[in-house]
Amino acid sequence: MFARVLRVAAVSLALGGAGFAALAQTGTTPPAGAGTGAGEDPVVAKVNGAEIRRSEVMRTIASLPPQVQQMPVQMIFPAVIDQIINGKLVAEAGYKNNVQNDPEVAERMKRAEERIVQELYLTTEVQKRITADRLQEAYNQFKQENPPQDEVKASHILVESEDAAKAIIADLKNGGDFARIAGEKSTDKAAAQQGGDLGFFTKDQMVEPFANAAFAMKPGDVSETPVQTQFGWHVIKVVERRQSTPPTFEEVQEQLRSQVSEQVIGELVEDLRGDAKVERFQMDGSPMPEQPAAAPGAAPAPKP
């Protein structure tokens, strides 16, 4: 399985790798442990006398799929070296056969250079334009779009029939222990292990009949009548009510950085297109029909 992932990753790298938006956001930094000095970057293999240094192996690991990168470096290091050795041998054979003089090599080199220039330019521009003020503005917008919501902490006992639920309600009124009964009788086995505890939830996180009943109750209340949903019959106990607390800036900082990166790239490309003379043609090379300019505020014309 691991060898297959490496082969797929090698093909992916050969074909061009990930989209430039993600690369512009994160860059391509070798993982910790990739030395750069002569003493910190030992030779780890030789192919017909040509040296392969540890830094090359670490750069290759950094470009592999996340599920591979999460493995201990010591585990994947030998397999990655073998992949690099194989690549060196294939390249050496290609040079011996003068493949480097094929016009397609020059064309692919040109496309690769263009892609790298795109990535590095976007990385630089995104880093310049993502300021602390812009991230704070994005956080303020996030809080505005995600206001605090009412939350209920509740437990439940789920059974298959209304009569069974009514019997449980009667037992509870006579002093029965909710958590014990949930553990013994609830068909929701995951919650039953916690005495029926469902934790905190917002109204939209539960099916409507259950949510309506729970949010109509006060802390300490237990269902007077069973609540039916598609899962069965519920006996509900509300433990606590509160308003949700929005995550701190630090908790959503990376999410905001990703969001702002996409915005910055969109703005940058829009600016570049605005300053450029762009001509588009149809698949046969004939001129593209001009689209009539939409009136201010008008809805776009439907596509044929």
Side-chain angles (χ1 to χ4, degrees):
M1 175 63 182
F2 173 62
R4 177 179 172 275
V5 172
L6 280 180
R7 288 196 298 271
V8 171
V11 172
S12 175
L13 291 172
L15 294 177
F20 59 67
L23 289 164
Q25 176 195 341
T26 62
T28 52
T29 304
T36 54
E40 301 174 352
D41 193 14
V43 174
V44 293
K46 290 185 179 181
V47 181
N48 293 330
E51 296 177 345
I52 298 173
R53 293 191 173 270
R54 183 173 66 189
S55 58
E56 183 174 355
V57 180
M58 301 306 288
R59 281 194 299 271
T60 302
I61 292 174
S63 59
L64 293 173
Q67 66 267 32
V68 179
Q69 292 187 44
Q70 291 170 5
M71 298 178 183
V73 173
Q74 296 85 347
M75 179 187 298
I76 62 177
F77 199 86
V80 175
I81 288 178
D82 280 341
Q83 290 296 317
I84 294 174
I85 290 171
N86 293 344
K88 298 284 187 186
L89 290 171
V90 171
E92 186 177 290
Y95 278 111
K96 287 180 179 177
N97 284 274
N98 294 315
V99 174
Q100 69 273 21
N101 298 323
D102 190 308
E104 187 174 349
V105 171
E107 178 61 28
R108 290 195 186 188
M109 291 290 288
K110 179 181 177 182
R111 291 201 301 268
E113 178 182 282
E114 184 177 283
R115 186 175 63 252
I116 294 167
V117 169
Q118 290 173 8
E119 293 168 0
L120 292 180
Y121 175 70
L122 285 173
T123 299
T124 302
E125 288 300 310
V126 166
Q127 289 173 348
K128 284 195 304 187
R129 300 188 189 203
I130 297 185
T131 62
D133 287 345
R134 182 145 187 182
L135 286 174
Q136 184 63 48
E137 181 183 339
Y139 179 59
N140 294 339
Q141 181 69 22
F142 172 83
K143 290 195 295 182
Q144 186 176 359
E145 294 173 353
N146 298 273
Q149 298 185 63
D150 289 333
E151 291 183 325
V152 162
K153 183 178 183 181
S155 299
H156 82 141
I157 302 169
L158 177 65
V159 290
E160 295 180 355
S161 71
E162 184 178 12
D163 288 342
K166 286 180 176 179
I168 288 171
I169 292 173
D171 192 0
L172 292 170
K173 287 182 176 180
N174 289 328
D177 183 76
F178 195 100
R180 178 185 61 78
I181 297 173
E184 293 175 354
K185 298 185 177 181
S186 181
T187 59
D188 179 355
K189 297 306 179 184
Q193 293 177 0
Q194 309 299 323
D197 185 15
L198 296 170
F200 280 98
F201 52 87
T202 56
K203 196 169 186 178
D204 61 355
Q205 290 178 309
M206 295 293 179
V207 293
E208 187 173 343
F210 187 99
N212 289 341
F215 277 82
M217 297 163 65
K218 300 188 298 293
D221 285 353
V222 176
S223 304
E224 289 290 332
T225 57
V227 177
Q228 185 181 19
T229 71
Q230 65 263 45
F231 303 107
W233 295 84
H234 306 258
V235 178
I236 305 170
K237 178 181 179 180
V238 170
V239 179
E240 187 179 344
R241 297 183 70 125
R242 71 180 185 187
Q243 276 209 319
S244 62
T245 303
T248 64
F249 176 83
E250 288 72 20
E251 289 172 333
V252 294
Q253 185 173 3
E254 289 309 310
Q255 174 185 336
L256 296 173
R257 187 175 296 277
S258 176
Q259 173 187 321
V260 174
S261 294
E262 292 179 6
Q263 293 173 355
V264 167
I265 291 171
E267 293 165 0
L268 176 60
V269 172
E270 186 175 349
D271 290 344
L272 292 172
R273 288 182 70 97
D275 294 336
K277 180 183 178 181
V278 177
E279 299 175 84
R280 300 174 64 198
F281 302 89
Q282 301 193 81
M283 291 178 65
D284 62 0
S286 61
M288 182 79 71
E290 291 190 11
Q291 297 292 329
K303 293 182 179 179

